[in-house]
Amino acid sequence: MIEPRKTPPPVPLLGAGDIRRLAAELNLRPTKTLGQNFVIDGNTIRRIVASAQLGAFETVLEVGPGLGSLTLGLLDAAERVVAVEIDPVLAAKLPATVASWRPERTEALDVVLADAMRVTHLPRQPTALVANLPYNVAVPVVLNLLERFPTLRSGLVMVQDEVADRLAAVPGSKIYGVPSVKAAWYSSMEKAGTVGMNVFWPAPKIASGLVRFTRREPPATTASRTEVFAVIDAAFAQRRKTLRAALAGWAGSPVLAEQALRRAGIDPTARGEVLGITAYARIAEAKAAATTAG
Ligand code: SAM
């Protein structure tokens, strides 16, 4: 008789009771300022980890490990996890949590007590970013990490659902804005699903969304990233105006703005929300070229 194939038991993950117990042990009062909403549902963790499409060789950067819900899932899928946490109480507790839930994986975890907005050095070069991000700083954290750690090739982040839509928006859509264009400098972004509120403790008032990204080369341009981002900021600061008007301050006058736009091959009466990252790079380059020539 053929023995039925046994599926391995699922890796233990933190549930609602575990999260409450850990929080009580630490006397933790989750704060809104730090976006502390902890995942209490193992299936959501499995879904995030599966959506991240990690290879077994991966060193994952996790921002805000909190009580360790996602960290335990990531330790099962990747070679290593570097967890950056701003809250000293949570950062100090994490190694003990991993030691009791996944003792065989304790060596695979590095915990860094730091602000992900400012961190410049990590103990290892991360290859993927996977995080349930603190919502009020999600976009700057993603942009900052993509800029600082070029070894990050891909990632999956959970953010506010509306922010997920913005990050993945394409030119011409209503929600296309500064986060969409700046994120496109570094990577392609795609929405990977929506997550309800009741998988968190405490439950947030809004739904969350998953965004997956894959790094790509920035557009070929002689303009610097800072110069390109300055045009984007100017164009969206007055997004209802024509580019000629919106970029007047940035260029020095409406006439200079029109000249830069024409040199870049862009209609001066168009609005910023129809342009992709390559067009913004061309505008920045056209102004820099005019400054050099003139
Ligand atoms: N990963 C955990 C989970 O899924 O249950 C917690 C996610 S919770 C939404 C966000 C976490 O980010 C909290 O642990 C919070 O303390 C941490 N955090 C907030 N701001 C941060 C920052 N600037 N840098 C690093 N961690 C931060």
Side-chain angles (χ1 to χ4, degrees), residues 19 33-39 45 62-71 84-87 90 114-117 132-135 137 141 158 200:
I19 292 287
T33 332
L34 292 180
Q36 291 178 331
N37 302 96
F38 304 105
V39 175
I45 295 299
E62 185 192 2
V63 170
L67 291 165
S69 308
L70 181 55
T71 320
V84 175
E85 173 60 61
I86 200 170
D87 184 325
L90 295 177
D115 178 348
M117 301 269 281
N132 170 16
L133 288 173
Y135 289 171
V137 291
V141 162
M158 179 147 72
F200 298 93

Short mmCIF file of all heavy atoms in Angstrom, two decimals, residues 19 33-39 45 62-71 84-87 90 114-117 132-135 137 141 158 200, ligand 1:
data_model
loop_
_atom_site.label_atom_id
_atom_site.label_comp_id
_atom_site.label_asym_id
_atom_site.label_seq_id
_atom_site.Cartn_x
_atom_site.Cartn_y
_atom_site.Cartn_z
N ILE A 19 -0.16 37.66 20.68
CA ILE A 19 0.14 39.10 20.58
C ILE A 19 -0.30 39.80 21.87
O ILE A 19 0.45 40.61 22.43
CB ILE A 19 -0.59 39.73 19.35
CG1 ILE A 19 0.01 39.19 18.06
CG2 ILE A 19 -0.57 41.25 19.39
CD1 ILE A 19 1.38 39.71 17.71
N THR A 33 1.32 57.25 16.69
CA THR A 33 2.48 57.98 16.14
C THR A 33 3.46 57.01 15.47
O THR A 33 4.03 57.34 14.43
CB THR A 33 3.24 58.69 17.29
OG1 THR A 33 2.32 58.98 18.31
CG2 THR A 33 3.96 59.91 16.82
N LEU A 34 3.64 55.84 16.07
CA LEU A 34 4.57 54.87 15.47
C LEU A 34 3.83 53.85 14.60
O LEU A 34 4.42 52.86 14.17
CB LEU A 34 5.36 54.16 16.57
CG LEU A 34 6.36 55.03 17.34
CD1 LEU A 34 7.09 54.22 18.40
CD2 LEU A 34 7.39 55.66 16.40
N GLY A 35 2.55 54.09 14.34
CA GLY A 35 1.79 53.20 13.45
C GLY A 35 1.76 51.77 13.96
O GLY A 35 1.87 50.82 13.18
N GLN A 36 1.60 51.60 15.27
CA GLN A 36 1.70 50.25 15.85
C GLN A 36 0.38 49.48 15.78
O GLN A 36 -0.42 49.49 16.70
CB GLN A 36 2.23 50.35 17.29
CG GLN A 36 3.69 50.79 17.30
CD GLN A 36 4.28 50.96 18.68
OE1 GLN A 36 3.57 51.27 19.62
NE2 GLN A 36 5.59 50.78 18.81
N ASN A 37 0.18 48.82 14.65
CA ASN A 37 -0.95 47.91 14.47
C ASN A 37 -0.34 46.56 14.12
O ASN A 37 0.28 46.41 13.08
CB ASN A 37 -1.87 48.38 13.33
CG ASN A 37 -2.40 49.78 13.58
OD1 ASN A 37 -1.84 50.76 13.09
ND2 ASN A 37 -3.46 49.88 14.35
N PHE A 38 -0.49 45.61 15.02
CA PHE A 38 0.21 44.33 14.88
C PHE A 38 -0.69 43.29 14.21
O PHE A 38 -1.87 43.19 14.53
CB PHE A 38 0.66 43.85 16.26
CG PHE A 38 1.51 44.87 16.97
CD1 PHE A 38 1.01 45.62 18.03
CD2 PHE A 38 2.81 45.12 16.55
CE1 PHE A 38 1.77 46.58 18.67
CE2 PHE A 38 3.59 46.08 17.19
CZ PHE A 38 3.07 46.81 18.24
N VAL A 39 -0.11 42.50 13.33
CA VAL A 39 -0.90 41.46 12.64
C VAL A 39 -1.11 40.28 13.60
O VAL A 39 -0.16 39.78 14.20
CB VAL A 39 -0.19 41.00 11.35
CG1 VAL A 39 -0.96 39.85 10.71
CG2 VAL A 39 -0.06 42.15 10.37
N ILE A 45 -0.11 36.67 7.36
CA ILE A 45 1.36 36.61 7.29
C ILE A 45 1.79 35.69 6.14
O ILE A 45 2.65 36.04 5.33
CB ILE A 45 1.94 36.09 8.63
CG1 ILE A 45 1.65 37.09 9.76
CG2 ILE A 45 3.43 35.78 8.52
CD1 ILE A 45 2.25 38.47 9.57
N GLU A 62 13.33 43.90 7.05
CA GLU A 62 11.98 44.15 7.55
C GLU A 62 12.00 45.42 8.38
O GLU A 62 12.77 45.54 9.34
CB GLU A 62 11.47 42.99 8.44
CG GLU A 62 10.01 43.23 8.85
CD GLU A 62 9.48 42.30 9.95
OE1 GLU A 62 10.23 41.47 10.47
OE2 GLU A 62 8.29 42.47 10.29
N VAL A 63 11.16 46.38 8.00
CA VAL A 63 11.06 47.61 8.78
C VAL A 63 9.90 47.45 9.76
O VAL A 63 8.80 47.06 9.38
CB VAL A 63 10.80 48.83 7.86
CG1 VAL A 63 10.44 50.06 8.68
CG2 VAL A 63 12.02 49.10 7.01
N GLY A 64 10.16 47.74 11.02
CA GLY A 64 9.11 47.67 12.04
C GLY A 64 8.64 46.26 12.32
O GLY A 64 7.48 45.93 12.08
N PRO A 65 9.50 45.40 12.86
CA PRO A 65 9.08 44.02 13.15
C PRO A 65 8.05 43.94 14.26
O PRO A 65 7.36 42.92 14.38
CB PRO A 65 10.39 43.34 13.56
CG PRO A 65 11.27 44.44 14.04
CD PRO A 65 10.92 45.63 13.19
N GLY A 66 7.96 44.98 15.08
CA GLY A 66 6.95 44.99 16.15
C GLY A 66 7.15 43.81 17.09
O GLY A 66 8.24 43.57 17.61
N LEU A 67 6.08 43.01 17.27
CA LEU A 67 6.15 41.86 18.19
C LEU A 67 6.65 40.60 17.48
O LEU A 67 6.80 39.56 18.11
CB LEU A 67 4.79 41.63 18.83
CG LEU A 67 4.38 42.75 19.81
CD1 LEU A 67 2.89 42.69 20.14
CD2 LEU A 67 5.22 42.68 21.09
N GLY A 68 6.88 40.70 16.16
CA GLY A 68 7.52 39.58 15.46
C GLY A 68 6.61 38.76 14.56
O GLY A 68 7.05 37.74 14.01
N SER A 69 5.35 39.20 14.36
CA SER A 69 4.41 38.40 13.55
C SER A 69 4.99 38.07 12.18
O SER A 69 5.02 36.90 11.78
CB SER A 69 3.10 39.18 13.33
OG SER A 69 2.58 39.62 14.54
N LEU A 70 5.42 39.10 11.46
CA LEU A 70 5.92 38.89 10.10
C LEU A 70 7.34 38.32 10.13
O LEU A 70 7.70 37.51 9.26
CB LEU A 70 5.87 40.24 9.34
CG LEU A 70 6.33 40.24 7.89
CD1 LEU A 70 5.59 39.22 7.04
CD2 LEU A 70 6.14 41.65 7.28
N THR A 71 8.12 38.72 11.12
CA THR A 71 9.51 38.24 11.22
C THR A 71 9.54 36.70 11.21
O THR A 71 10.36 36.10 10.51
CB THR A 71 10.17 38.76 12.52
OG1 THR A 71 9.74 40.10 12.73
CG2 THR A 71 11.67 38.68 12.46
N VAL A 84 14.66 46.28 11.34
CA VAL A 84 14.95 47.64 11.84
C VAL A 84 13.73 48.15 12.59
O VAL A 84 12.66 48.35 12.00
CB VAL A 84 15.28 48.59 10.66
CG1 VAL A 84 15.47 50.01 11.16
CG2 VAL A 84 16.53 48.11 9.93
N GLU A 85 13.88 48.34 13.90
CA GLU A 85 12.75 48.76 14.74
C GLU A 85 13.15 50.01 15.53
O GLU A 85 14.22 50.09 16.09
CB GLU A 85 12.36 47.62 15.69
CG GLU A 85 11.32 47.93 16.73
CD GLU A 85 9.97 48.37 16.17
OE1 GLU A 85 9.33 47.61 15.44
OE2 GLU A 85 9.56 49.52 16.49
N ILE A 86 12.23 50.98 15.57
CA ILE A 86 12.52 52.25 16.25
C ILE A 86 12.20 52.18 17.75
O ILE A 86 12.76 52.94 18.54
CB ILE A 86 11.71 53.39 15.58
CG1 ILE A 86 12.32 54.75 15.90
CG2 ILE A 86 10.25 53.36 15.98
CD1 ILE A 86 11.72 55.89 15.08
N ASP A 87 11.30 51.27 18.13
CA ASP A 87 10.84 51.20 19.52
C ASP A 87 11.81 50.29 20.30
O ASP A 87 11.88 49.08 20.03
CB ASP A 87 9.41 50.64 19.52
CG ASP A 87 8.81 50.61 20.92
OD1 ASP A 87 9.54 50.36 21.88
OD2 ASP A 87 7.58 50.81 21.02
N LEU A 90 10.38 47.00 21.85
CA LEU A 90 10.07 45.95 20.87
C LEU A 90 11.35 45.35 20.29
O LEU A 90 11.45 44.13 20.12
CB LEU A 90 9.20 46.52 19.74
CG LEU A 90 7.81 46.99 20.17
CD1 LEU A 90 7.06 47.61 19.00
CD2 LEU A 90 7.01 45.83 20.74
N ALA A 114 16.79 51.37 15.20
CA ALA A 114 17.03 52.58 14.41
C ALA A 114 15.73 53.06 13.78
O ALA A 114 14.75 52.32 13.68
CB ALA A 114 18.04 52.29 13.30
N ASP A 115 15.79 54.31 13.32
CA ASP A 115 14.69 54.91 12.56
C ASP A 115 14.94 54.60 11.08
O ASP A 115 15.98 55.00 10.54
CB ASP A 115 14.73 56.43 12.82
CG ASP A 115 13.67 57.18 12.05
OD1 ASP A 115 13.05 56.59 11.14
OD2 ASP A 115 13.46 58.37 12.36
N ALA A 116 13.99 53.92 10.45
CA ALA A 116 14.18 53.52 9.05
C ALA A 116 14.27 54.72 8.11
O ALA A 116 14.73 54.59 6.97
CB ALA A 116 13.04 52.60 8.61
N MET A 117 13.85 55.88 8.57
CA MET A 117 13.96 57.09 7.74
C MET A 117 15.40 57.59 7.70
O MET A 117 15.77 58.36 6.83
CB MET A 117 13.11 58.22 8.34
CG MET A 117 11.66 57.87 8.46
SD MET A 117 10.81 58.35 7.00
CE MET A 117 10.64 60.09 7.33
N ASN A 132 5.35 45.38 7.04
CA ASN A 132 4.06 45.97 7.33
C ASN A 132 4.42 47.34 7.90
O ASN A 132 4.79 47.46 9.06
CB ASN A 132 3.33 45.09 8.35
CG ASN A 132 2.10 45.72 8.92
OD1 ASN A 132 1.59 46.71 8.37
ND2 ASN A 132 1.61 45.18 10.04
N LEU A 133 4.36 48.35 7.03
CA LEU A 133 4.99 49.64 7.37
C LEU A 133 4.14 50.50 8.30
O LEU A 133 2.91 50.47 8.22
CB LEU A 133 5.27 50.42 6.09
CG LEU A 133 6.41 49.87 5.23
CD1 LEU A 133 6.49 50.62 3.91
CD2 LEU A 133 7.75 49.96 5.95
N PRO A 134 4.82 51.30 9.15
CA PRO A 134 4.08 52.32 9.91
C PRO A 134 3.47 53.29 8.89
O PRO A 134 4.19 53.84 8.05
CB PRO A 134 5.17 53.00 10.76
CG PRO A 134 6.48 52.60 10.15
CD PRO A 134 6.27 51.34 9.39
N TYR A 135 2.14 53.45 8.95
CA TYR A 135 1.45 54.07 7.82
C TYR A 135 1.79 55.53 7.58
O TYR A 135 1.86 55.98 6.45
CB TYR A 135 -0.07 53.91 7.98
CG TYR A 135 -0.50 52.47 7.76
CD1 TYR A 135 -1.79 52.06 8.03
CD2 TYR A 135 0.40 51.53 7.28
CE1 TYR A 135 -2.18 50.74 7.83
CE2 TYR A 135 0.02 50.21 7.07
CZ TYR A 135 -1.27 49.82 7.36
OH TYR A 135 -1.63 48.52 7.14
N VAL A 137 4.53 57.08 7.73
CA VAL A 137 5.83 57.36 7.09
C VAL A 137 6.14 56.36 5.98
O VAL A 137 7.28 56.27 5.53
CB VAL A 137 6.98 57.38 8.14
CG1 VAL A 137 6.88 58.58 9.05
CG2 VAL A 137 7.03 56.08 8.94
N VAL A 141 9.74 56.18 3.83
CA VAL A 141 10.58 55.04 4.22
C VAL A 141 10.95 54.22 2.97
O VAL A 141 12.12 53.89 2.75
CB VAL A 141 9.87 54.15 5.28
CG1 VAL A 141 10.52 52.77 5.37
CG2 VAL A 141 9.92 54.82 6.65
N MET A 158 3.17 46.37 3.04
CA MET A 158 1.76 46.62 3.37
C MET A 158 1.67 48.06 3.85
O MET A 158 2.42 48.48 4.75
CB MET A 158 1.28 45.65 4.44
CG MET A 158 -0.17 45.89 4.83
SD MET A 158 -1.03 44.38 5.29
CE MET A 158 -0.30 43.99 6.85
N PHE A 200 -5.63 42.95 12.45
CA PHE A 200 -4.68 43.72 13.25
C PHE A 200 -5.18 43.90 14.68
O PHE A 200 -6.38 43.94 14.94
CB PHE A 200 -4.51 45.14 12.69
CG PHE A 200 -3.97 45.21 11.30
CD1 PHE A 200 -4.84 45.28 10.21
CD2 PHE A 200 -2.61 45.25 11.06
CE1 PHE A 200 -4.36 45.38 8.92
CE2 PHE A 200 -2.12 45.35 9.77
CZ PHE A 200 -2.98 45.41 8.70
N1 SAM B 1 5.61 44.00 11.62
C1 SAM B 1 4.70 44.03 12.75
C2 SAM B 1 3.43 43.33 12.39
O1 SAM B 1 3.20 43.13 11.19
O2 SAM B 1 2.68 42.98 13.28
C3 SAM B 1 4.42 45.46 13.21
C4 SAM B 1 3.96 46.42 12.15
S1 SAM B 1 3.40 47.98 12.77
C5 SAM B 1 2.29 48.44 11.45
C6 SAM B 1 4.75 49.12 12.44
C7 SAM B 1 6.03 48.90 13.24
O3 SAM B 1 7.00 49.86 12.82
C8 SAM B 1 5.91 49.09 14.75
O4 SAM B 1 6.58 48.05 15.40
C9 SAM B 1 6.63 50.45 15.03
O5 SAM B 1 7.19 50.53 16.32
C10 SAM B 1 7.67 50.45 13.93
N2 SAM B 1 8.12 51.78 13.47
C11 SAM B 1 7.41 52.95 13.43
N3 SAM B 1 8.14 53.93 12.90
C12 SAM B 1 9.35 53.38 12.57
C13 SAM B 1 10.54 53.90 11.98
N4 SAM B 1 10.62 55.18 11.59
N5 SAM B 1 11.59 53.07 11.81
C14 SAM B 1 11.53 51.76 12.19
N6 SAM B 1 10.42 51.22 12.75
C15 SAM B 1 9.35 52.00 12.94
#
